[in-house]
Amino acid sequence: MIQKRFVLTLLLATTGFWMAARTADILADLRLKTENIQEISMDAVTSAGLNVPYVPYEGKQWAKALSAPAKVEAVKALGRVVRAYTETEDFRKRYDQYMQEKYDVSTDQTQRLQSDQNARQQMSEQTEALGGSYDDMVRQSTQAMAQMESSMLRMVLKTQIEGLVEGLNGAEGETKTKGAAELAQLKKLQAIANPAEFKKQYLAYYTQWMNQQIKEGNARMVEDEEEEKEKAADYQKRLAEYKAHANPKIALKERLRECIALIESVDFNTRLIKKGSRLEFENPDYRSKSSTWKTVFRMGQEPAMAIRDFAQVWLKELK
């Protein structure tokens, strides 16, 4: 939905917000600071809602005293102030920072994503190059273990059991159940007294264990790769959205078109009727119009059309 706040940025008007004709004096006359213009301009292109810009009470009272012709020149002067700021590097930096935060993107994240993609590609190529060598790795490892004496294999088994017991401390759920089953299997092996039989069964266990480790490792690698791909795809989507909206002129054009359309939709010739202590639009359809539409009506046709003309020129000159 096109944000409407930009209308108030140009008008800078709610009840009695009429500006000075001298561009250089607007901020002082309205008791505004440079930071206020920065905030108003940024809100114009980033806010989803419509809020009236803050102006101190003294500025409002001063503005009410302006004549009708002065109001026309005043809104032009304010438009020049706002437009001048939107053409500064400070505005572009503020807008870019906002957009990066909105879409959660950054130069660091983009570079890190590219680096991760390169690493995954290298890993994939290395895995493909290995081909069926995992079986060779298991066979070579088992052959190396077969060269050991039974007593040495018992020491290896003892170390495995100690490590598994330590790893089970605090374990829960499936991890604990699986670990307990493996521990029971290792202790059964440890109980085998005959050295030759122990070595035979331990090597059979070791071969099975190695194959299982490789299988689980590959599964984890595939799972991690899929997760990383999903994250990368999500980031690329956000990055594309950021790039599509990175130029503040896109938002400015939308707000200017909305400003022009809103002003041209106002019926300045409609009558007000008194109802009790209040004034209401004679046309009941106008009573439900937005507060912005009513603000433009209260401003009057001359200053409103001056704003429309200013917006049309600005829109035409935005490259």
Side-chain angles (χ1 to χ4, degrees):
M1 181 179 66
I2 298 177
Q3 301 167 1
K4 297 181 179 179
R5 195 174 211 164
F6 189 70
V7 176
L8 292 185
T9 303
L10 285 179
L11 307 179
L12 205 62
T14 182
T15 307
F17 275 31
W18 313 125
M19 308 306 157
R22 299 157 300 171
T23 300
D25 296 336
I26 288 180
L27 299 185
D29 289 336
L30 285 174
R31 313 309 195 263
L32 292 174
K33 299 179 180 179
T34 303
E35 305 90 83
N36 299 126
I37 293 299
Q38 293 171 342
E39 292 170 2
I40 290 168
S41 300
M42 279 300 300
D43 285 346
V45 292
T46 61
S47 295
L50 180 62
N51 296 310
V52 177
Y54 168 75
V55 171
Y57 175 78
E58 294 83 357
K60 295 178 185 179
Q61 293 302 107
W62 173 87
K64 287 180 180 179
L66 291 176
S67 64
K71 294 174 185 178
V72 171
E73 295 305 317
V75 294
K76 291 180 182 178
L78 176 66
R80 289 191 290 269
V81 170
V82 173
R83 179 175 178 176
Y85 177 66
T86 63
E87 294 171 353
T88 65
E89 184 63 23
D90 181 73
F91 174 75
R92 285 188 286 272
K93 286 182 177 180
R94 286 172 182 260
Y95 181 79
D96 187 62
Q97 181 180 354
Y98 168 83
M99 295 303 287
Q100 287 193 39
E101 292 175 355
K102 177 180 179 179
Y103 292 105
D104 190 21
V105 299
S106 67
T107 302
D108 288 344
Q109 287 187 77
T110 303
Q111 291 175 343
R112 188 162 56 250
L113 175 66
Q114 186 60 54
S115 177
D116 290 345
Q117 288 177 332
N118 292 339
R120 284 197 301 274
Q121 180 64 30
Q122 291 177 359
M123 178 67 73
S124 178
E125 292 173 356
Q126 290 172 0
T127 302
E128 185 177 350
L130 284 171
S133 63
Y134 287 119
D135 290 339
D136 294 335
M137 291 168 58
V138 173
R139 185 166 49 254
Q140 291 171 9
S141 179
T142 303
Q143 288 173 353
M145 296 289 283
Q147 302 303 313
M148 296 182 183
E149 295 292 334
S150 178
S151 58
M152 183 63 70
L153 292 178
R154 283 190 181 278
M155 292 177 63
V156 173
L157 176 59
K158 182 174 180 293
T159 301
Q160 280 184 276
I161 291 175
E162 291 173 350
L164 186 56
V165 170
E166 183 178 351
L168 283 173
N169 288 333
E172 297 179 353
E174 184 180 351
T175 301
K176 183 176 182 180
T177 301
K178 185 178 178 181
E182 185 176 359
L183 181 61
Q185 183 181 8
L186 292 178
K187 286 187 175 181
K188 286 179 71 174
L189 287 171
Q190 192 178 42
I192 298 173
N194 185 287
E197 184 63 22
F198 166 76
K199 183 173 182 178
K200 176 185 174 181
Q201 292 198 31
Y202 181 76
L203 290 176
Y205 157 79
Y206 181 79
T207 301
Q208 182 183 18
W209 179 80
M210 278 288 291
N211 283 320
Q212 185 64 27
Q213 292 300 305
I214 290 174
K215 180 181 178 181
E216 292 179 357
N218 287 339
R220 283 194 298 271
M221 185 169 65
V222 170
E223 185 178 332
D224 290 345
E225 185 174 353
E226 288 302 315
E227 184 178 344
E228 289 302 317
K229 283 182 179 179
E230 288 180 8
K231 289 181 180 179
D234 178 67
Y235 183 79
Q236 290 289 8
K237 181 179 179 180
R238 288 185 280 111
L239 185 63
E241 287 289 321
Y242 159 74
K243 289 181 178 179
H245 300 87
N247 190 339
K249 290 182 180 180
I250 296 173
L252 284 171
K253 288 178 181 179
E254 289 179 351
R255 307 308 180 265
L256 287 167
R257 292 189 187 102
E258 178 68 11
C259 173
I260 294 166
L262 178 67
I263 292 173
E264 291 182 342
S265 73
V266 175
D267 180 5
F268 292 100
N269 295 318
T270 190
R271 291 179 55 202
L272 295 175
I273 58 175
K274 193 166 185 180
K275 190 172 183 180
S277 59
R278 298 174 52 195
L279 289 175
E280 285 190 352
F281 287 108
E282 184 178 42
N283 186 333
D285 293 338
Y286 294 163
R287 296 170 192 171
S288 59
K289 290 290 186 180
S290 68
S291 60
T292 308
W293 191 94
K294 294 173 181 177
T295 296
V296 174
F297 174 81
R298 288 194 297 270
M299 176 188 298
Q301 187 168 14
E302 282 189 74
M305 289 302 140
I307 293 169
R308 183 203 62 180
D309 295 343
F310 183 90
Q312 287 175 333
V313 172
W314 188 355
L315 179 61
K316 183 177 180 181
E317 293 177 352
L318 270 178
K319 305 298 182 182

